[in-house]
């Protein structure tokens, strides 16, 4: 098993994936990691929608982009009008939804997202946290996701084997973010 700090530092947002699907046993480990995240009041207020249907994944990207193209924010509209996939053509897309009437659903779901990303990294599988799919969640067509009553989709995580053409950059971290009180 890798040392956790090595896994944390090795995780980078991956935006180029191989086409072949991850193995079922790998997916199961990633989902197991998700549900072992901490949660406020131990509510475990999450639900995971695992999408491995290429057409639906493309549709989610295309319709998100169509919405983004209408945005008043220039950078959003620009991505919306581009011809690149906002989900980076991932083979597996996991949508994370939170139970709205729980104590801290967004935070808990975010912890579950990070757990999935770290477990994937330890398996040499690439991930990308995908916030822009939010544009899809707001439109009528999102009904196809069958999100459970009382839950709200927050984010998606793209998961797949890392393309050999992927340039993985190590992003510099801001150092001035610590205060010590002794
Ligand atoms: C809430 C959130 C939303 C994000 N949404 C996107 C996204 O829609 N598309 C994308 O390519 N990356 C997305 N990212 C990834 C960030 O761009 C990335 O984490 C950041 O640039 C740092 O790079 P690193 O993950 O390689 O450390 C998102 C990250 C977070 C935490």
């Amino acid at each position: 098993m890798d040392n956790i700090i090595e896994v944390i530092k090795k995780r980078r947002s991956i935006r180029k994936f191989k086409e072949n699907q991850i193995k079922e046993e790998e997916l199961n480990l990633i989902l197991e990691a998700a549900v072992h995240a901490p949660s406020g009041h131990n509510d475990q207020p999450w639900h995971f929608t695992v999408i491995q249907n290429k057409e639906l994944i493309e549709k989610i990207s295309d319709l998100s982009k169509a919405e983004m193209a209408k945005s008043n924010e220039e950078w959003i509209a620009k991505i919306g009008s581009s011809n690149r996939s906002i989900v980076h053509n991932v083979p597996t897309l996991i949508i994370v939804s939170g139970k709205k009437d729980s104590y801290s659903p967004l935070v808990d779901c975010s912890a579950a997202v990070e757990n999935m990303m770290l477990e994937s990294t330890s398996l040499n599988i690439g991930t990308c946290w995908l916030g822009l799919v939010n544009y899809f969640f707001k439109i009528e067509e999102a009904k196809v996701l069958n999100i459970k009553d009382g839950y709200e989709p927050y984010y998606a995580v793209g998961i797949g084997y890392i393309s050999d053409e992927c340039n993985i950059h190590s992003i510099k971290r801001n150092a001035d973010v610590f205060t010590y009180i002794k």
Side-chain angles (χ1 to χ4, degrees), residues 93-142:
L93 190 71
I94 300 182
I95 291 171
V96 185
S97 306
K99 192 164 184 281
K100 286 189 272 188
D101 68 355
S102 59
Y103 180 71
S104 47
L106 180 58
V107 179
D108 303 339
C109 287
S110 300
V113 168
E114 180 70 355
N115 268 15
M116 287 195 278
M117 296 174 97
L118 294 179
E119 175 60 18
S120 301
T121 306
S122 82
L123 297 168
N124 271 323
I125 291 172
T127 59
C128 193
W129 192 319
L130 299 165
L132 293 174
V133 289
N134 210 277
Y135 284 86
F136 177 77
F137 299 153
K138 292 180 191 139
I139 61 176
E140 187 68 17
E141 285 84 348

Side-chain angles (χ1 to χ4, degrees), residues 11-13 15 86 88 128-133 155 169 171 173:
R11 183 211 59 79
R12 291 275 71 83
S13 294
R15 299 186 174 91
I86 63 143
H88 315 300
C128 193
W129 192 319
L130 299 165
L132 293 174
V133 289
Y155 293 117
H169 301 287
I171 296 180
R173 266 31 199 183

Side-chain angles (χ1 to χ4, degrees), residues 43-178:
D43 279 349
Q44 304 181 35
W46 38 58
H47 192 86
F48 304 91
T49 307
V50 181
I51 306 175
Q52 295 187 313
N53 177 305
K54 201 173 177 215
E55 278 153 40
L56 179 56
I57 291 174
E58 265 171 35
K59 185 174 174 183
I60 291 172
S61 175
D62 290 346
L63 295 181
S64 302
K65 276 173 37 185
E67 288 305 299
M68 289 166 69
K70 300 177 203 161
S71 174
N72 294 328
E73 273 189 76
E74 204 181 317
W75 72 274
I76 297 275
K78 202 171 158 195
I79 298 174
S81 312
S82 74
N83 52 17
R84 64 174 231 236
S85 162
I86 63 143
V87 300
H88 315 300
N89 303 305
V90 280
T92 293
L93 190 71
I94 300 182
I95 291 171
V96 185
S97 306
K99 192 164 184 281
K100 286 189 272 188
D101 68 355
S102 59
Y103 180 71
S104 47
L106 180 58
V107 179
D108 303 339
C109 287
S110 300
V113 168
E114 180 70 355
N115 268 15
M116 287 195 278
M117 296 174 97
L118 294 179
E119 175 60 18
S120 301
T121 306
S122 82
L123 297 168
N124 271 323
I125 291 172
T127 59
C128 193
W129 192 319
L130 299 165
L132 293 174
V133 289
N134 210 277
Y135 284 86
F136 177 77
F137 299 153
K138 292 180 191 139
I139 61 176
E140 187 68 17
E141 285 84 348
K143 275 190 182 153
V144 70
L145 299 175
N146 262 321
I147 299 299
K148 279 174 71 165
D149 279 351
Y151 282 70
E152 181 180 346
Y154 295 134
Y155 293 117
V157 189
I159 301 179
Y161 298 128
I162 303 170
S163 161
D164 297 332
E165 292 157 28
C166 184
N167 282 323
I168 304 175
H169 301 287
S170 186
I171 296 180
K172 192 170 173 287
R173 266 31 199 183
N174 299 335
D176 185 21
V177 293
F178 306 104

